[in-house]
Amino acid sequence: MAPTITGWILAGGRGTRMGSVDKGLQPLGDTTMAGHVLARLAPQVDAIAINANRNLARYQAIAGPGVAVVADHLGGYEGPLAGLQTGLLYCAAQGGAQADNALLLTAPCDSPFLPSDLAARLHAALVEHDADLALAVTLETDPQAPGAESRRQRHPVFSLLRASLLPQLEQYLATGARRMEGWFQSLRVAEVLFDDAAAFRNINTLEELQRHAPAAAATDIATATATATATGSDNDPLSVDQALRLIAARVAPVVQTETVALRDALDRVLAADIISPINVPAYDNSAMDGYALRGADLPQSDGVPVTLTVAGIAYAGRAHAGTVEPGQCVRIMTGAAMPAGCDSVLPQELAVAIGQDSVTIAAGSIAPGANRRLAGEDLALGGVALAAGKLLRPADLGLVASLGIAEVTVRRRLRVAFFSTGDELRALGQPLDDGCVYDSNRYTLFGMLARLGCEVIDLGIVRDDPAALEAALRTACNGADAIITSGGVSEGAADYTRDIMALLGDVAFWKLAMRPGRPLAFGKVRDGGASAWLFGLPGNPVAVMVSFYLFARPALLRMMGTTAAAAHPPLLRARAAAAMRKRPGRTEYQRGIVAPGPDGAPQVRLTGAQGSGILSSMTTANCIVVLAHDQGNVAAGDLVDILPFEGLI
């Protein structure tokens, strides 16, 4: 069985040389330092995680879904061995019975230029020398002594080690030792010499961060080449998980904000926390229609009922003015303020008897304090009512209104340009010549972008001509944050998108192990000082919708400033109504119809033929059946993952 490699980004240190801030969160180029490391490491490994001890939510926002952010297991010491121990524990927890066959590849969060072949070369050395651990080595020359002989410099935080080493490491840590070199002395270590010492460069100060910003921008372009090299060749497609991690590591939220009236904030993303200026509710109030009373007046355990005198009535918006004495109660309506002295409410239907001025209560009817809503129970004064990154829905508008807030600060609207490519495409209203089709993709994309609340820029149809495509991309990146194209990304003679992308910027990837949607390009295009992220989607209508939902939509939501959870809703589970054919080695997305089965549990069946040009299947379906990369055929009755369409596509 081939070993699985988990990439482990070490971000748990104190960052003392950078003002005791998290180095991995410092901005560098289009993303953060940790984002650069994530983008370069993700294509080289089977899974990836971040080891951090502070700002875990911010690291999670950078990492996106499917990437764990894990704090040190060892307390009181924020050093590399603590991170290694936590990484090995993580491998053991994730691997189960296969944990002994797992490998951990470590890299620090402050080295954004790490080699694209780090995993491949360290793994080769580990196998060749039957080592416990393989680490990177470079030749370093003292800049103060020109002509001096180079010395070998070990880089222990760039290492690949066997997960089975956990007991040895924990035994070493139990002695109180904390030095990396001391632990290595007990291991079989293979050293791998790398020529490019700059690839292992650490950025430790704010001055260094500023100095290396131009190199980081160049790294954005080099990431595409690094990805292709790390995955083997230009013909080896990325897995869906690798592509999602790479995109999440590169895109970042727009920084501009604006303050809008509450009615205009629907489907906008909060740029700052909304702090409650009041308690909600503002006062203790009744949760029921009934009788407000003192808990001390409730019947005792001897079972004898108690009759209380009704001293008045309290309405919502019109409180009872007096104080309730022992033996008294107040008729109260839902939402009315609790009268002074009362702490419990008896629902009127639980009363044994109701007289003109009295009510009788049986023992055990309610407990003291029942049916009373406390002041601040919903939202406390000074608490966070809604957190930054929240995509505002109707219920959120109501909550903000309940606080008396009339305006909110949101991220500006995302500007997205889109166009279709192909000489065979015709706009609606044009005659349909032989061999031509109407351009349906632009209408699909318009609808999906409009649902996200983007500012949509429709650039129409672009011919299969390199000059026309280049002009369209230059125009788009000067007016948009992102560009969506359909068609022109496969290996056909007239498919120019990825070539023009490479000319104007970079292609991070262009081929994925998925169906439908194998040809899908992602990268950045530039024109002078302007730039935009580009998603080159396939031309087939179904593939356009599936690839937009899986890749473009989460990235756009991320750029809008939403949380990772909002960008990637969880999968649901349903039983397959019939067998489904599936070839391992790629992720497949099939159109399905989910409905309650005979037992009432969700059951899903396919819509029929699954060709990527059968657009009618998308209107018939109400979900996508997700068949994972390594999954094979599905038998009737097996549980499968589904993505519901409602509100998404």
Side-chain angles (χ1 to χ4, degrees):
M1 179 184 296
T4 58
I5 300 179
T6 297
W8 190 251
I9 300 176
L10 298 166
R14 294 188 175 92
T16 53
R17 284 184 287 179
M18 201 174 278
S20 296
V21 298
D22 273 12
K23 291 194 290 183
L25 298 176
Q26 297 309 300
L28 184 64
D30 291 325
T31 180
T32 59
M33 284 210 286
H36 278 281
V37 176
L38 186 68
R40 294 184 71 83
L41 197 62
Q44 306 186 44
V45 297
D46 301 298
I48 199 162
I50 297 177
N51 167 227
N53 291 317
R54 296 171 296 176
N55 299 311
L56 271 66
R58 291 180 62 190
Y59 276 111
Q60 190 65 70
I62 293 170
V67 177
V69 179
V70 188
D72 282 344
H73 176 75
L74 182 67
Y77 166 68
E78 296 180 1
L81 282 185
L84 277 184
Q85 179 200 31
T86 305
L88 295 177
L89 286 166
Y90 178 80
C91 281
Q94 298 299 307
Q98 282 71 47
D100 288 345
N101 198 41
L103 302 173
L104 188 73
L105 175 65
T106 65
C109 67
D110 57 0
S111 295
F113 310 106
L114 64 90
S116 59
D117 59 352
L118 180 67
R121 293 190 59 191
L122 292 181
H123 182 249
L126 192 79
V127 173
E128 179 183 355
H129 299 285
D130 191 24
D132 297 316
L133 177 148
L135 58 81
V137 174
T138 56
L139 294 178
E140 306 285 341
T141 303
D142 186 353
Q144 305 300 321
E149 185 176 345
S150 299
R151 60 182 177 82
R152 290 174 66 88
Q153 175 67 50
R154 278 181 157 194
H155 300 281
V157 289
F158 293 90
S159 63
L160 181 71
L161 60 157
R162 301 185 187 277
S164 57
L165 294 175
L166 176 61
Q168 292 173 248
L169 176 57
E170 293 196 319
Q171 185 177 6
Y172 177 77
L173 292 171
T175 67
R178 297 292 184 266
R179 291 183 59 82
M180 183 85 78
E181 295 81 359
W183 181 54
F184 281 7
Q185 289 178 0
S186 64
L187 305 177
R188 295 168 296 173
V189 177
E191 296 187 355
V192 181
L193 181 63
F194 286 80
D195 294 331
D196 185 9
F200 300 90
R201 177 192 304 145
N202 296 117
I203 298 179
N204 293 311
T205 66
L206 294 175
E207 292 77 16
E208 290 177 1
L209 190 69
Q210 186 174 12
R211 188 166 67 250
H212 293 307
T219 301
D220 287 340
I221 298 175
T223 300
T225 304
T227 298
T229 303
T231 53
S233 75
D234 192 45
N235 292 319
D236 290 337
L238 283 183
S239 72
V240 168
D241 288 342
Q242 287 175 318
L244 288 172
R245 290 197 297 264
L246 193 150
I247 294 172
R250 298 193 66 185
V251 302
V254 296
V255 297
Q256 297 89 348
T257 64
E258 57 183 338
T259 300
V260 300
L262 187 57
R263 284 181 179 268
D264 297 325
L266 186 65
D267 293 331
R268 304 293 294 275
V269 177
L270 277 179
D273 293 347
I274 291 182
I275 305 300
S276 178
I278 59 174
N279 281 321
V280 179
Y283 45 82
D284 289 7
N285 68 87
S286 175
M288 307 286 287
D289 289 344
Y291 297 87
L293 51 87
R294 299 156 49 93
D297 287 342
L298 288 168
Q300 301 302 308
S301 57
D302 58 11
V304 178
V306 169
T307 299
L308 303 178
T309 301
V310 178
I313 188 167
Y315 296 96
R318 196 167 75 224
H320 175 72
T323 299
V324 178
E325 303 295 337
Q328 293 182 330
C329 66
V330 169
R331 180 86 168 95
I332 195 167
M333 305 303 166
T334 302
M338 293 289 290
C342 294
D343 59 12
S344 311
V345 174
L346 174 78
Q348 60 186 23
E349 61 270 20
L350 296 185
V352 173
I354 298 175
Q356 184 173 357
D357 296 312
S358 66
V359 61
T360 301
I361 307 169
S365 297
I366 61 170
N371 304 311
R372 177 183 60 162
R373 294 188 293 222
L374 301 175
E377 183 177 272
D378 187 3
L379 295 170
L381 170 67
V384 176
L386 292 174
K390 183 76 168 67
L391 186 65
L392 295 173
R393 299 304 189 197
D396 303 316
L397 300 189
L399 185 148
V400 175
S402 75
L403 303 177
I405 296 174
E407 295 181 330
V408 293
T409 300
V410 295
R411 304 267 184 179
R412 70 159 171 82
R413 288 192 186 277
L414 202 65
R415 296 185 290 269
V416 183
F418 70 104
F419 58 85
S420 301
T421 64
D423 290 341
E424 77 281 7
L425 299 178
R426 295 292 180 269
L428 300 186
Q430 292 182 333
L432 199 60
D433 301 327
D434 289 343
C436 295
V437 295
Y438 287 121
D439 180 14
S440 64
N441 287 339
R442 274 176 43 238
Y443 291 87
T444 300
L445 288 171
F446 171 81
M448 298 172 86
L449 290 170
R451 270 201 169 183
L452 287 179
C454 299
E455 183 180 324
V456 180
I457 305 168
D458 186 353
L459 297 181
I461 299 171
V462 177
R463 303 189 317 274
D464 281 329
D465 174 73
L469 180 58
E470 180 180 345
L473 289 176
R474 288 187 186 276
T475 298
C477 77
N478 276 279
D481 305 294
I483 307 166
I484 311 289
T485 69
S486 63
V489 292
S490 68
E491 298 175 277
D495 294 338
Y496 302 115
T497 301
R498 66 189 182 99
D499 295 331
I500 302 301
M501 285 176 67
L503 174 67
L504 299 181
D506 71 87
V507 186
F509 60 78
W510 70 278
K511 190 185 296 184
L512 300 178
M514 63 178 283
R515 179 187 182 189
R518 176 181 172 87
L520 189 150
F522 166 72
K524 174 165 278 193
V525 294
R526 299 173 175 84
D527 183 47
S531 65
W533 295 109
L534 186 138
F535 297 84
L537 308 184
N540 284 320
V542 173
V544 164
M545 296 188 74
V546 170
S547 54
F548 178 94
Y549 175 69
L550 293 169
F551 298 98
R553 182 181 183 275
L556 296 177
L557 284 168
R558 184 175 174 81
M559 294 173 69
M560 291 164 60
T562 63
T563 62
H568 295 269
L571 298 174
L572 304 180
R573 301 281 276 172
R575 294 200 178 277
M580 302 177 189
R581 297 179 62 186
K582 165 66 167 62
R583 187 181 73 187
R586 67 185 182 194
T587 306
E588 292 191 10
Y589 302 92
Q590 303 191 16
R591 281 79 76 197
I593 300 172
V594 63
D599 60 354
Q603 185 180 74
V604 65
R605 61 181 175 85
L606 300 184
T607 58
Q610 296 291 306
S612 59
I614 304 176
L615 184 55
S616 61
S617 67
M618 293 298 281
T619 63
T620 303
N622 63 8
C623 69
I624 294 176
V625 180
V626 182
L627 302 179
H629 186 89
D630 296 324
Q631 187 172 356
N633 292 333
V634 174
D638 287 352
L639 285 172
V640 293
D641 292 326
I642 62 169
L643 286 170
F645 280 176
E646 183 59 35
L648 300 175
I649 293 180

